[in-house]
Amino acid sequence: IILFFQIFSNDFITINTNLMDSGQYYNIIKTGNLPDNIRLNSELIYNDGTENSFQYQSGYIRVKSNLTRTNRIQFEWERYPSSYMGSLFEKCDIIKTISFNIFDMSGIDNMNRMFHSCTSLESIFSFNPKNTRIMSYLFYNCKSLNYISFKDNSFINNQVEKMEYMFSFCESLTSIDLSHYANKIKTMNYMFQNCTNLKKIVFNYDFDTSLVTYMDRIFYGCTNLTTLENFNFNSSNAEV
């Protein structure tokens, strides 16, 4: 099942989900964290043109599954998207892949817990958080996540400050590319906690930990980690 989230006229987020029991409702987006300027269309449209309603329940938009059809949900922002996308997909554990191929992420400042406990999420495509400042708990407990690709491989994020618990319990990741992040990071505690299959992390050449105040147990439980490329460790400002 593929879901298309239309953010405004030319922007989409595409989501592929695991097969589900037909006729059941499943969490797909956390409504409590939708920006104020979002307008949600009132219908769920299948690819054969028929319509079905989705429901709001317990703080989530819930999608009714149909194993033989493609679902499309349209979201439209009345003005430029909010800078906050924290917890947007938190505990939406049917999401399998998500693509930001035609979605502009340049205005997003806060992604705290955006994919927290998306336990079925395997792949993220065209990820491009080039100005995001807060990425705490971003992929926390994404146990199946094994692939992240970037839309623009040349971008450098010099704004990011908070990365604590960012990849904690990402048990399927074998390598992580952090070559797009540098300079201002202040919190890294438990960042890679229990990434039990992680073997390699690539950092930016200018990656600097001299401003980091919290860095306790960064690699706690990373029992297979053997390579830290370009990692310049400096704990001069660390409190913990």
Side-chain angles (χ1 to χ4, degrees), residues 169-187:
F169 299 99
C170 288
E171 299 170 354
S172 298
L173 279 174
T174 58
S175 64
I176 297 175
D177 179 8
L178 292 176
S179 61
H180 303 283
Y181 306 95
N183 296 332
K184 290 188 178 180
I185 300 168
K186 296 178 181 178
T187 57

Side-chain angles (χ1 to χ4, degrees), residues 41-235:
N41 288 352
S42 60
E43 59 196 24
L44 174 64
I45 306 172
Y46 294 118
N47 65 344
D48 60 5
T50 61
E51 297 178 2
N52 199 347
S53 63
F54 49 82
Q55 63 179 211
Y56 297 86
Q57 182 177 333
S58 303
Y60 284 89
I61 296 173
R62 294 169 58 80
V63 177
K64 189 175 183 179
S65 66
N66 188 307
L67 301 184
T68 62
R69 295 170 174 170
T70 299
N71 296 340
R72 183 180 66 200
I73 298 177
Q74 294 184 329
F75 293 88
E76 300 177 56
W77 256 281
E78 296 174 353
R79 53 189 183 276
Y80 193 79
S82 168
S83 63
Y84 181 74
M85 294 186 77
S87 296
L88 195 61
F89 303 105
E90 183 174 349
K91 296 182 181 178
C92 295
D93 56 3
I94 62 164
I95 297 175
K96 187 175 181 181
T97 68
I98 186 164
S99 174
F100 297 93
N101 187 44
I102 43 179
F103 178 69
D104 182 7
M105 306 184 82
S106 62
I108 301 173
D109 175 70
N110 191 333
M111 290 184 174
N112 179 46
R113 302 171 70 99
M114 185 173 176
F115 300 103
H116 190 295
S117 295
C118 289
T119 53
S120 296
L121 179 62
E122 296 178 0
S123 303
I124 299 175
F125 301 97
S126 300
F127 199 53
N128 196 34
K130 59 184 178 182
N131 294 313
T132 305
R133 186 174 53 88
I134 300 173
M135 304 179 79
S136 312
Y137 293 87
L138 181 59
F139 306 111
Y140 185 93
N141 199 35
C142 291
K143 295 178 180 294
S144 303
L145 183 63
N146 59 62
Y147 181 78
I148 303 172
S149 71
F150 296 97
K151 183 189 301 184
D152 176 10
N153 280 319
S154 65
F155 86 90
I156 297 295
N157 183 336
N158 287 313
Q159 307 301 317
V160 65
E161 297 178 2
K162 298 175 70 64
M163 284 183 157
E164 69 268 25
Y165 295 91
M166 183 174 175
F167 295 99
S168 286
F169 299 99
C170 288
E171 299 170 354
S172 298
L173 279 174
T174 58
S175 64
I176 297 175
D177 179 8
L178 292 176
S179 61
H180 303 283
Y181 306 95
N183 296 332
K184 290 188 178 180
I185 300 168
K186 296 178 181 178
T187 57
M188 296 178 65
N189 43 306
Y190 292 91
M191 186 172 174
F192 306 102
Q193 177 188 15
N194 286 338
C195 292
T196 51
N197 286 297
L198 184 61
K199 298 178 180 179
K200 180 180 180 179
I201 306 171
V202 178
F203 295 90
N204 186 278
Y205 286 105
D206 295 323
F207 186 83
D208 182 9
T209 64
S210 62
L211 296 177
V212 177
T213 55
Y214 294 97
M215 57 170 54
D216 53 312
R217 303 196 177 197
I218 298 176
F219 304 108
Y220 181 78
C222 295
T223 53
N224 287 298
L225 183 61
T226 58
T227 305
L228 296 174
E229 192 171 311
N230 304 322
F231 184 61
N232 300 310
F233 187 75
N234 184 335
S235 60

